[in-house]
């Protein structure tokens, strides 16, 4: 029976699984985006998000707890420095998993896992979407230049277009 066994064991013993997740987490912190299997990405999200939450409060206890999981000084510095500044106002959900298809060799389902606040392309798209206006305000803006058009002077004589 499988009662009360909620996390994916990834076909590994505990020590091997802990080392795998720590190494994946270190790579994710260093590169901000990694490609792995979907099962490992989901397991990594459960492993890494509490560490990112701890990094939001920079004190000795939290640094020691995170270091006990990762065993990598550079990753701890990066997590408590650059990453914690970017996610300071975010209440949770620091990682995004996007499915990327199947691997050619064994047909395993692959995924990309990344920090939400570090994808500049998606941040630019959301900024453009926020600038959009409602239909009502667009019609008012369209009506305002039309009303001002008769007041404007007639344009100067245009040169003929070359074909």
């Amino acid at each position: 029976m499988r009662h009360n066994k909620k996390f994916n064991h990834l076909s590994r013993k505990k020590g091997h699984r802990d080392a795998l997740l720590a190494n994946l987490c270190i790579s994710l912190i260093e590169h901000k985006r990694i490609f792995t299997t979907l099962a490992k990405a989901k397991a990594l999200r459960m492993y890494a998000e509490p560490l990112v939450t701890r990094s939001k409060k920079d004190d000795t206890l939290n640094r020691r707890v995170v270091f006990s999981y990762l065993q990598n000084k550079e990753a701890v510095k990066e997590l408590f420095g650059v990453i914690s500044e970017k996610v300071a106002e975010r209440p949770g959900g620091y990682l995004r998993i996007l499915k990327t298809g199947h691997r050619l060799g064994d047909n395993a389902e692959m995924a990309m896992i990344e920090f939400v606040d570090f994808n500049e392309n998606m941040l630019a798209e959301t900024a453009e979407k926020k600038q959009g206006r409602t239909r009502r305000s667009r019609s008012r803006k369209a009506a305002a230049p039309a009303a001002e058009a008769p007041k404007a002077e007639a344009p100067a004589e245009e040169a003929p277009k070359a074909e």
Side-chain angles (χ1 to χ4, degrees), residues 16-74:
H16 190 186
R17 187 172 53 249
D18 289 343
L20 170 78
L21 292 173
N23 288 330
L24 283 172
C25 191
I26 290 167
S27 296
L28 180 65
I29 289 168
E30 288 176 357
H31 301 291
K32 311 299 186 277
R33 172 187 301 163
I34 58 173
F35 292 88
T36 184
T37 63
L38 183 63
K40 287 179 188 174
K42 287 179 178 180
L44 178 60
R45 181 171 52 187
M46 287 176 48
Y47 185 87
E49 288 207 351
L51 299 181
V52 177
T53 302
R54 280 201 175 264
S55 74
K56 289 166 73 173
K57 184 178 178 197
D58 189 5
D59 59 356
T60 306
L61 173 67
N62 286 334
R63 280 186 178 263
R64 285 180 176 167
V65 169
V66 170
F67 183 77
S68 72
Y69 280 90
L70 298 181
Q71 298 292 314
N72 188 313
K73 287 182 186 178
E74 288 78 26

Side-chain angles (χ1 to χ4, degrees), residues 74-137:
E74 288 78 26
V76 172
K77 280 184 199 173
E78 182 81 9
L79 183 62
F80 278 86
V82 178
I83 294 173
S84 66
E85 290 172 5
K86 285 249 191 175
V87 301
E89 67 278 353
R90 184 174 289 277
Y94 313 109
L95 299 174
R96 173 188 298 127
I97 296 175
L98 299 171
K99 295 179 183 178
T100 59
H102 296 275
R103 189 161 49 196
L104 285 178
D106 59 355
N107 205 28
E109 195 168 7
M110 299 298 289
M112 176 184 70
I113 183 167
E114 66 180 356
F115 282 101
V116 172
D117 295 317
F118 283 89
N119 190 341
E120 289 80 17
N121 297 333
M122 285 196 157
L123 291 176
E125 289 176 10
T126 57
E128 290 173 6
K129 288 180 183 177
K130 287 182 182 178
Q131 293 175 356
R133 303 283 182 183
T134 61
R135 172 175 250 145
R136 189 166 142 191
S137 64

